Amino acid sequence: MKASHNEERTEAYIRQFQLADVLPELLQKHLMLFRFGPEEELCKQGEEPQYIHFLVQGKVKVYTTSFEGNTLLVAFMKPLGILGEIEGVRGWDNLNTVTAVTEVETIAFHKRWLSELDGEARFLRFLLDKVTEKFYSKSLSLSFNLLHPVEVRLASYLLSVTSSSGEGAEDGVAISTMKDTASLLGTSYRHMNRVLLGFITDGLVKRDNGMLIVRDRQGLNRVAGRNIYETEDRRDRP
């Protein structure tokens, strides 16, 4: 993680996402620019957060871990997502772990400034909209993991962690990570491996030098229907 006071880049993001009318002037004065590399944690479940982050570039993975050590994928998040607003407002520890999938940039402010914003109705409404969206997304995630077959979950996951659009994600994932992936998707590695072999047979993916390479994104999209782990896709599902 790298943090800096890059005013020029921060102001460019404010213009890009039209945040000038949403973020109070007080916050705009105290924004910092954070950069994270792939697999780097933006926040860790159970730890006390210090900053509220606006995701302005890249993609992150949000997941939760049980007391027994089991993990469950909640969602993938792209701009403009917000991290830490629930915990910051309520004074809670982090509810989930968030890690970077690609190179990620955020603009962020320290949570202490929240106490100065009681009269900022527009900003508070903006936070309320984001919190509502986040809880809706998590509710959908739990339902999807129970209702959708592993084929749909795995196809959606592969679509989310790979990219052919120049976002910075690789076009494949390391095979050595697939056991952890099975846990994230709420299934056994044996079951997921059977599904994966079917994807290979159908020409959707291939094994290459320890990597699982996506060969047919359109085919994976057909299996997934829509990507169940992408927030904007899930909101539009019937």
Side-chain angles (χ1 to χ4, degrees):
M1 178 194 74
K2 295 181 180 179
S4 65
H5 290 281
N6 189 325
E7 293 184 5
E8 182 178 352
R9 196 163 181 83
T10 298
E11 290 174 1
Y13 281 129
I14 289 174
R15 291 193 299 271
Q16 179 181 347
F17 294 101
Q18 301 178 341
L19 294 174
D21 293 334
V22 174
L23 293 178
E25 186 175 344
L26 171 68
L27 289 187
Q28 294 188 42
K29 291 179 179 179
H30 295 285
L31 287 173
M32 296 182 64
L33 181 72
F34 286 81
R35 293 178 177 175
F36 301 86
E39 302 301 325
E40 196 170 358
E41 289 183 349
L42 283 73
C43 60
K44 187 172 183 178
Q45 184 177 339
E47 292 186 352
E48 181 183 356
Q50 297 300 313
Y51 289 88
I52 285 80
H53 291 268
F54 295 81
L55 177 63
V56 290
Q57 181 173 299
K59 182 186 291 187
V60 298
K61 176 173 61 181
V62 184
Y63 61 94
T64 188
T65 306
S66 71
F67 289 113
E68 295 79 16
N70 298 317
T71 57
L72 183 66
L73 182 61
V74 175
F76 287 88
M77 187 181 296
K78 296 187 289 189
L80 179 68
I82 302 183
L83 305 171
E85 78 288 4
I86 298 171
E87 296 86 344
V89 169
R90 300 300 302 172
W92 293 341
D93 292 340
N94 289 320
L95 301 174
N96 301 300
T97 297
V98 181
T99 60
V101 176
T102 66
E103 296 287 339
V104 163
E105 285 192 340
T106 72
I107 53 175
F109 63 90
H110 197 278
K111 66 179 183 180
R112 67 175 176 270
W113 299 113
L114 284 172
S115 61
E116 306 289 330
L117 302 176
D118 289 345
E120 298 288 348
R122 185 174 296 182
F123 178 67
L124 295 177
R125 175 56 189 267
F126 175 71
L127 283 186
L128 176 61
D129 288 344
K130 291 297 183 180
V131 169
T132 302
E133 179 180 293
K134 186 172 290 187
F135 275 108
Y136 179 72
S137 175
K138 187 165 187 177
S139 177
L140 284 177
S141 175
L142 295 174
S143 298
F144 286 143
N145 274 290
L146 290 172
L147 298 175
H148 284 281
V150 175
E151 288 83 355
V152 172
R153 284 178 260 166
L154 181 57
S156 294
Y157 179 84
L158 292 173
L159 288 168
S160 290
V161 298
T162 62
S163 175
S164 59
S165 61
E167 292 180 349
E170 300 295 334
D171 62 355
V173 294
I175 293 173
S176 60
T177 66
M178 295 309 288
K179 285 189 177 180
D180 293 332
T181 299
S183 177
L184 280 175
L185 302 184
T187 188
S188 68
Y189 178 66
R190 180 177 295 180
H191 188 182
M192 190 191 71
N193 200 42
R194 286 197 297 268
V195 173
L196 195 53
L197 289 174
F199 285 1
I200 293 172
T201 300
D202 292 340
L204 303 179
V205 298
K206 68 176 181 178
R207 298 179 188 269
D208 185 14
N209 294 324
M211 296 290 290
L212 189 66
I213 306 297
V214 173
R215 298 181 63 190
D216 184 358
R217 293 187 67 84
Q218 290 186 347
L220 286 176
N221 269 305
R222 287 193 293 271
V223 173
R226 292 181 186 176
N227 190 332
I228 65 173
Y229 294 121
E230 300 284 354
T231 303
E232 63 271 21
D233 289 343
R234 296 189 307 190
R235 277 200 306 267
D236 296 335
R237 283 182 82 89

